[in-house]
Amino acid sequence: MTIRLVDNVLIFHDGPILEFKLVSEHACNEAISRWMLILSRNRIRYLDLRFNGRERCEIPSRLFCCLALERVILSDCIINVAQSFQGFKLLHTLSLLSFNLSGIATIANLVSGCPLLERLRLYNFVQQGCLHIIAPNLRDLDIWGECHDLCLETPKLISGRIYLNISNGDHKKFLIANSGKESNIKKALGCLPNIQELHIDAEFGDYLAMGPIPENPPTIFNCLTEISLAAYCSDREEIAVALCLFKSAPILNVLNIEFLDWRGEDQLQGQPFWRLKASVFRL
């Protein structure tokens, strides 16, 4: 009944359709394919599709014919990227939550095709190889997923929240095999001259610690005022990463640290090292 109602509204509506939002427990793949065809002809600007059922909905390649899109939210979806896709030139907000990309398309392809993108959220995803984000106008970034490697080229980024899952054995092998060649701190965070807030979890800290950790910061975050991080207090490499970040932020005034495994023998090993290094920065 609901599908038929939406069909009738879209088919017989006289005038543009600028916004379309659907929250459903059913994938309704055939209906979505029909609706995307209609929406692509109506210069849709805001598209929000969320599916809460057991199966992910397949988003047809017709989505990439909606060239007037300015804001997109897709949740629990399999996204079929059109091979002819040249980018969403007007898109400023992109949220992809619990998603897969079909074919040879990558997250990097999607992001690089959106030159006006200002906000990007990527949740619950798996990216093979490097997640390379090139977004010259990006100001707000949320990443919560699984990838082998991370490279950010986002010079206007103001706020970044990075939570990576590298628990997969293949991912850890990749990281270990590629460590020592280049500083992961520089590769992931070296092109963020305007960052003001940075939030990272312990696994991303693991990633940053796998490459060489420079004694002197590879970049200076002259705008960074707030850092939130989780760290294992007995892991000296993670501590060194944290201290490197602190030294990189001359105007830092808010520091939130979540200590993990702070107990027993670990506590005795961690405290002296922190005291030894504590003089390298002043908050």
Side-chain angles (χ1 to χ4, degrees):
M1 179 64 71
T2 302
I3 291 178
R4 187 180 304 169
L5 176 62
V6 176
D7 279 337
N8 290 334
V9 170
L10 292 179
I11 291 172
F12 296 107
H13 175 73
D14 185 16
I17 301 173
L18 302 182
E19 298 185 7
F20 185 85
K21 181 176 181 178
L22 175 69
V23 179
S24 174
E25 294 183 355
H26 305 286
C28 54
N29 293 327
E30 293 183 5
I32 289 294
S33 183
R34 292 196 303 272
W35 299 341
M36 290 307 307
L37 176 60
I38 298 171
L39 294 174
S40 66
R41 296 170 177 172
N42 279 271
R43 294 191 61 79
I44 183 77
R45 295 180 185 174
Y46 171 32
L47 179 66
D48 187 343
L49 301 177
R50 310 187 195 201
F51 301 92
N52 303 319
R54 295 182 179 179
E55 296 183 3
R56 292 186 173 182
C57 180
E58 293 192 18
I59 306 299
S61 59
R62 289 193 182 101
L63 165 68
F64 299 94
C65 297
C66 301
L67 300 181
L69 279 169
E70 298 176 4
R71 183 181 177 193
V72 172
I73 301 174
L74 300 177
S75 177
D76 292 280
C77 296
I78 299 172
I79 305 170
N80 297 302
V81 182
Q83 292 184 353
S84 59
F85 176 59
Q86 298 296 317
F88 292 123
K89 304 306 181 184
L90 302 178
L91 195 72
H92 59 73
T93 301
L94 177 62
S95 297
L96 303 179
L97 320 173
S98 299
F99 68 98
N100 297 100
L101 299 180
S102 67
I104 60 174
T106 65
I107 296 172
N109 297 146
L110 289 182
V111 173
S112 63
C114 306
L116 300 183
L117 193 65
E118 294 183 355
R119 186 178 185 195
L120 176 64
R121 290 194 300 160
L122 303 172
Y123 287 2
N124 192 16
F125 66 93
V126 176
Q127 167 75 57
Q128 299 296 323
C130 181
L131 176 57
H132 192 177
I133 296 179
I134 303 175
N137 289 296
L138 195 68
R139 298 172 66 84
D140 190 86
L141 174 66
D142 272 304
I143 301 176
W144 195 322
E146 186 172 309
C147 63
H148 287 105
D149 206 358
L150 179 67
C151 182
L152 299 180
E153 296 186 39
T154 53
K156 293 185 179 180
L157 192 69
I158 292 176
S159 179
R161 291 163 295 279
I162 305 172
Y163 305 97
L164 293 185
N165 176 10
I166 56 172
S167 59
N168 181 288
D170 291 337
H171 286 195
K172 286 199 170 182
K173 289 178 183 178
F174 178 92
L175 291 174
I176 293 171
N178 287 275
S179 66
K181 300 177 181 178
E182 182 181 3
S183 168
N184 286 348
I185 299 175
K186 182 178 180 179
K187 180 165 51 177
L189 307 177
C191 190
L192 306 177
N194 292 296
I195 191 75
Q196 296 178 16
E197 299 179 15
L198 181 62
H199 306 263
I200 63 179
D201 69 345
E203 294 221 43
F204 186 55
D206 280 344
Y207 163 78
L208 296 176
M210 283 186 178
I213 303 171
E215 285 291 331
N216 296 313
T219 187
I220 299 298
F221 303 116
N222 286 316
C223 300
L224 186 59
T225 60
E226 179 177 343
I227 295 178
S228 297
L229 60 86
Y232 293 97
C233 66
S234 60
D235 190 319
R236 298 198 174 198
E237 285 74 21
E238 284 198 26
I239 293 172
V241 167
L243 292 173
C244 183
L245 292 177
F246 302 157
K247 291 164 65 177
S248 303
I251 64 170
L252 184 68
N253 56 52
V254 177
L255 175 60
N256 299 306
I257 303 179
E258 178 186 0
F259 286 114
L260 305 177
D261 287 347
W262 185 274
R263 60 184 180 273
E265 191 172 328
D266 287 345
Q267 182 177 3
L268 296 176
Q269 293 175 358
Q271 281 184 322
F273 188 74
W274 275 108
R275 285 199 297 269
L276 179 64
K277 298 293 187 179
S279 62
V280 302
F281 71 99
R282 290 289 184 269
L283 198 58

